[in-house]
Amino acid sequence: MRTLAVAYKFIREMLRDRTGLFFAFMFPIIFILIFSVAFKGGPVARSTMPVAVIDLDEGAEVSFGGTKEHMRLADDLREVLG
C-alpha cells in the first residue's frame, strides 16, 4: 500500500511541474524526430569496405562441461567479414 502512495505522490508532483512533464514526455519525442530527419537520407544497404585482419592470435583453450575446445577468434572474424 505504501508503494501506491509513493507512486500517487510522484504522479501528482510530476503533473504540477511543467518542465518535468516536458522533459519526461515531449523532449524524447522531439529528440527522436530530429534524429530520424537527420539520418533519413543515409544508406539503406550495407556498403562494403576493405578491412585488413592481422592474425597474431594463437587461440585459447576453453572448457565447457568437461570438454576442452581450442578457439581462434580471428577465424570467426574472417568468416563474418567474408
Side-chain angles (χ1 to χ4, degrees):
M1 193 65 174
R2 179 150 169 80
T3 305
L4 291 175
V6 171
Y8 179 70
K9 179 181 180 276
F10 177 75
I11 291 171
R12 270 194 350 215
E13 289 176 1
M14 187 75 150
L15 289 175
R16 285 186 202 151
D17 183 18
R18 292 194 187 267
T19 306
L21 280 174
F22 173 77
F23 281 106
F25 297 107
M26 293 304 296
F27 187 73
I29 293 171
I30 293 170
F31 205 69
I32 289 169
L33 289 174
I34 289 172
F35 274 95
S36 65
V37 168
F39 294 111
K40 188 175 187 179
V44 176
R46 291 174 65 179
S47 61
T48 59
M49 178 179 11
V51 175
V53 176
I54 300 173
D55 184 11
L56 298 176
D57 181 25
E58 295 180 6
E61 199 168 284
V62 181
S63 62
F64 287 117
T67 61
K68 291 187 177 180
E69 182 179 341
H70 190 75
M71 296 179 64
R72 291 183 54 126
L73 298 177
D75 292 339
D76 295 338
L77 181 61
R78 268 184 269 159
E79 286 178 21
V80 170
L81 294 177

